[in-house]
């Protein structure tokens, strides 16, 4: 496989192939030729775009580890970060619902305290509480997607 510029879509695609066991395994799994996949790591101005999104979607569905480099790449382009979330098991949505209610209550209490005090430390605490609530909600979303089966 060719050497690509770090943080490029081509390097993300190459990392996805490696996560799936390499170019040959990925070609076999997707049912396409090695040359088609190799094209996905090429910078080609005649036909920019490399590997099609449908192949990347299929690869990510077959091997979650292959989806991660692609997710990281596009999250970075969007000004964010990718953070994998673990949340599974029987009743997990129920447990996470309780966690979310608690965290939301903490956010509201902290925000009211910060508003009344106008203290920077109280605002900092509110930010921490919001981040904790966001994490629980993101884990709930991940679990709901997992349970849905897609």
């Amino acid at each position: 496989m060719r050497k690509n510029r770090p943080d490029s879509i081509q390097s993300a695609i190459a990392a996805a192939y490696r996560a799936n066991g390499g170019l040959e395994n990925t070609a076999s799994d997707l049912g396409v030729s090695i040359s088609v996949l190799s094209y996905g790591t090429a910078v080609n101005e005649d036909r920019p775009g490399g590997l099609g999104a449908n192949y990347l979607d299929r690869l990510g569905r077959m091997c979650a580890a292959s989806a991660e480099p692609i997710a990281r790449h596009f999250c970075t382009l969007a000004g964010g970060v990718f953070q994998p979330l673990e949340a599974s098991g029987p009743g997990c949505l129920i447990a996470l619902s309780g966690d979310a209610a608690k965290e939301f209550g903490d956010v509201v209490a902290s925000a009211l305290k910060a508003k009344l005090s106008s203290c920077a430390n109280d605002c900092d605490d509110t930010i921490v509480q919001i981040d904790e609530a966001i994490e629980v909600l993101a884990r709930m979303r991940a679990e709901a997607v997992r349970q849905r089966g897609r």
Side-chain angles (χ1 to χ4, degrees):
M1 212 164 347
R2 48 185 64 81
K3 185 171 172 71
N4 292 299
R5 183 178 55 78
D7 299 325
S8 67
I9 186 62
Q10 292 82 15
S11 66
I13 291 170
Y17 296 163
R18 285 192 300 276
N20 193 54
L23 188 64
E24 290 179 7
N25 286 344
T26 302
S28 175
D29 289 348
L30 290 175
V32 298
S33 70
I34 291 173
S35 63
V36 166
L37 290 190
S38 182
Y39 184 75
T41 61
V43 177
N44 185 337
E45 294 306 318
D46 294 334
R47 184 177 165 257
L51 190 67
N54 289 326
Y55 284 127
L56 292 174
D57 178 74
R58 232 167 89 201
L59 177 57
R61 289 175 189 274
M62 290 185 313
C63 175
S66 292
E68 189 170 323
I70 305 303
R72 287 187 188 285
H73 174 76
F74 284 108
C75 285
T76 299
L77 289 179
V81 295
F82 174 73
Q83 178 59 53
L85 301 168
E86 292 295 325
S88 61
C92 190
L93 278 177
I94 295 168
L96 287 169
S97 294
D99 292 346
K102 180 220 174 278
E103 292 299 337
F104 187 73
D106 291 349
V107 167
V108 172
S110 182
L112 291 172
K113 181 179 177 185
K115 174 61 179 165
L116 294 173
S117 74
S118 298
C119 173
N121 287 342
D122 289 338
C123 289
D124 290 342
D125 182 58
T126 300
I127 293 167
V128 168
Q129 296 303 324
I130 291 169
D131 289 345
E132 289 174 1
I134 289 170
E135 178 188 348
V136 169
L137 291 173
R139 289 175 48 221
M140 282 182 72
R141 185 183 191 288
E143 181 58 18
V145 169
R146 186 195 70 77
Q147 284 188 25
R148 179 183 68 192
R150 286 188 243 157

